């Protein structure tokens, strides 16, 4: 089992940057795919990015490609989402999530992720 806790959210002006962190507990961290999702008010939760167990492979939703970078440090049980050139439409609660061990596909479906954090608010002002 993996437990995750997000941090790093806040208020930033459009064009600015934030780095979200996700601290994970559990011996199997290096064996699980990690992902980030976000949910804006009155909208469905949507996929943002995912990273393979080794960190070599990443996948992003089109709206954040070229602006967001997902990375992980398996030695520290950490995942990082670097967000640059932020836009007001990036405003949302951001969630870190983990798939179960053995589920290696970088899924974009929230239902495929079994362990979730409480979320961290990101607000981008125009």
């Amino acid at each position: 089992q993996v437990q995750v806790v997000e941090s790093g959210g806040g208020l930033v002006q459009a064009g600015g940057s934030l780095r979200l962190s996700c601290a994970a507990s559990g011996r199997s961290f290096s064996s699980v795919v990690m992902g980030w999702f976000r949910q804006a008010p009155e909208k469905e939760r949507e996929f943002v990015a995912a990273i393979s167990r080794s960190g070599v492979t990443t996948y992003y939703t089109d709206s954040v490609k070229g602006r967001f970078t997902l990375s992980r440090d398996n030695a520290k049980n950490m995942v990082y989402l670097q967000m640059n050139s932020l836009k007001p439409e990036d405003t949302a609660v951001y969630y870190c999530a983990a798939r179960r061990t053995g589920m290696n596909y970088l899924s974009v479906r929230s239902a495929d992720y079994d362990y979730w954090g409480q979320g961290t608010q990101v607000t981008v002002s125009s």
Side-chain angles (χ1 to χ4, degrees):
Q1 187 168 352
V2 178
Q3 294 180 323
V4 296
V5 178
E6 307 94 337
S7 62
L11 173 64
V12 64
Q13 289 188 329
S17 298
L18 281 175
R19 188 176 82 155
L20 304 184
S21 299
C22 174
S25 64
R27 298 178 181 177
S28 61
F29 176 75
S30 61
S31 301
V32 299
V33 167
M34 299 294 295
W36 283 91
F37 290 77
R38 64 186 180 186
Q39 187 166 17
E42 301 182 358
K43 291 189 176 181
E44 297 282 323
R45 187 171 297 188
E46 65 171 356
F47 170 79
V48 176
I51 190 166
S52 63
R53 296 172 298 167
S54 67
V56 170
T57 303
T58 53
Y59 183 73
Y60 302 90
T61 192
D62 286 346
S63 62
V64 308
K65 284 180 182 176
R67 300 189 298 122
F68 291 12
T69 302
L70 183 57
S71 61
R72 67 190 294 165
D73 184 338
N74 286 344
K76 297 181 178 179
N77 281 20
M78 295 291 295
V79 175
Y80 304 102
L81 183 66
Q82 178 66 43
M83 306 187 296
N84 299 327
S85 302
L86 282 162
K87 304 175 181 180
E89 50 263 44
D90 294 318
T91 294
V93 177
Y94 283 70
Y95 297 91
C96 180
R99 299 201 69 185
R100 281 181 292 174
T101 302
M103 301 298 174
N104 302 324
Y105 179 66
L106 301 190
S107 176
V108 302
R109 297 175 63 240
S110 59
D112 288 337
Y113 291 77
D114 299 280
Y115 309 106
W116 292 82
Q118 294 299 308
T120 185
Q121 176 71 46
V122 171
T123 303
V124 184
S125 63
S126 58

